[in-house]
């Protein structure tokens, strides 16, 4: 009788551990999927989530065209039910772009209106961003201006901050960029 009681107790304990572990796995999967926002902007498929860890500076190198600008922060963007409809571009011909030269640590915003811009020296850091107070990848330029690097892959890049003054005047804070081949 003692053996049956012990076996029943052990089975009950193991069963509760399995259910508890399964619940934690499901809860973890829900939390991870919540922070990834997927959609399509101007026919370009993208998925936005914050990078986990340091991004290599060489990944931002190249010419990036601005596909869209979101009027709000990344946090607002993740909570938006229909974020892709909020991306807009006011370029009738051409496009706004940003050219990064990682080896020289400089970038240049180029507006579709063909205004000449100067190269801006920057440094890319991973740590506590002085503006957001969060540990993230960020670009510091002109001594006290900061742009958060949300994520970069071989096709798209998402930046948050005062990247292009022309678009920032209209309230844009989050920028989706596509790599120009």
């Amino acid at each position: 009788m003692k053996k049956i009681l012990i076996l029943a107790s052990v089975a009950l304990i193991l069963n509760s551990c399995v259910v508890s572990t399964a619940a934690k796995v499901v809860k973890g999967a829900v939390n991870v999927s919540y922070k990834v926002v997927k959609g399509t902007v101007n026919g370009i498929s993208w998925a936005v989530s914050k990078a986990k860890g340091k991004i290599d500076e060489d990944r931002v190198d190249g010419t990036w065209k601005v596909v869209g600008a979101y009027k709000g922060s990344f946090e607002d963007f993740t909570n938006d039910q229909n974020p892709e409809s909020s991306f807009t571009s006011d370029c009738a011909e051409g496009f706004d772009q940003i050219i990064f030269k990682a080896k020289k640590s400089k970038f240049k915003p180029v507006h579709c209106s063909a205004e000449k811009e100067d190269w801006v020296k920057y440094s890319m850091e991973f740590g506590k961003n002085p503006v957001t107070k969060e540990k993230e990848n960020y670009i510091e330029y002109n001594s006290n201006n900061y742009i958060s690097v949300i994520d970069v892959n071989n096709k798209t890049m998402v930046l948050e901050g005062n990247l292009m003054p022309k678009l920032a005047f209209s309230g844009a804070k989050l920028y989706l960029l596509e790599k120009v081949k």
Side-chain angles (χ1 to χ4, degrees):
M1 185 69 170
K2 284 185 180 181
K3 289 182 182 179
I4 293 173
L5 263 156
I6 292 173
L7 284 173
S9 297
V10 170
L12 182 64
I13 291 170
L14 287 176
N15 190 23
S16 67
C17 288
V18 169
V19 170
S20 173
T21 304
K24 287 178 185 175
V25 168
V26 169
K27 183 179 177 188
V30 168
N31 287 341
V32 169
S33 66
Y34 174 73
K35 290 297 179 184
V36 176
V37 183
K38 296 180 181 180
T40 304
V41 177
N42 297 335
I44 299 156
S45 178
W46 50 271
V48 180
S49 65
K50 270 204 175 183
K52 298 187 179 15
K54 183 172 176 27
I55 296 174
D56 185 18
E57 187 176 349
D58 290 338
R59 292 176 73 188
V60 301
D61 195 47
T63 302
W64 300 85
K65 70 178 179 179
V66 178
V67 177
Y70 182 76
K71 295 177 183 179
S73 67
F74 178 71
E75 200 60 39
D76 297 335
F77 182 74
T78 58
N79 295 324
D80 196 336
Q81 296 296 320
N82 193 14
E84 58 269 15
S85 67
S86 300
F87 276 104
T88 58
S89 176
D90 60 352
C91 292
E93 295 179 20
F95 48 84
D96 289 328
Q97 64 182 1
I98 295 150
I99 302 167
F100 280 94
K101 295 202 178 204
K103 289 182 180 167
K104 295 184 178 184
S105 294
K106 61 183 184 177
F107 73 92
K108 176 168 82 168
V110 179
H111 301 293
C112 61
S113 60
E115 296 173 13
K116 290 286 181 185
E117 292 287 335
D118 294 328
W119 288 97
V120 179
K121 292 289 279 177
Y122 73 89
S123 69
M124 188 165 167
E125 305 287 333
F126 177 71
K128 189 173 184 180
N129 185 330
V131 175
T132 63
K133 308 294 187 220
E134 291 184 30
K135 188 172 184 179
E136 62 187 6
N137 293 283
Y138 65 92
I139 293 172
E140 179 182 0
Y141 67 99
N142 294 341
S143 300
N144 60 355
N145 292 313
Y146 303 94
I147 300 168
S148 297
V149 181
I150 304 297
D151 195 19
V152 181
N153 63 37
N154 59 350
K155 293 181 182 177
T156 60
M157 176 166 56
V158 179
L159 302 174
E160 180 180 15
N162 185 14
L163 186 61
M164 301 189 90
K166 176 182 138 189
L167 297 173
F169 287 129
S170 66
K173 292 182 185 175
L174 190 67
Y175 299 90
L176 175 67
L177 302 116
E178 178 189 23
K179 187 114 184 193
V180 177
K181 296 183 183 185

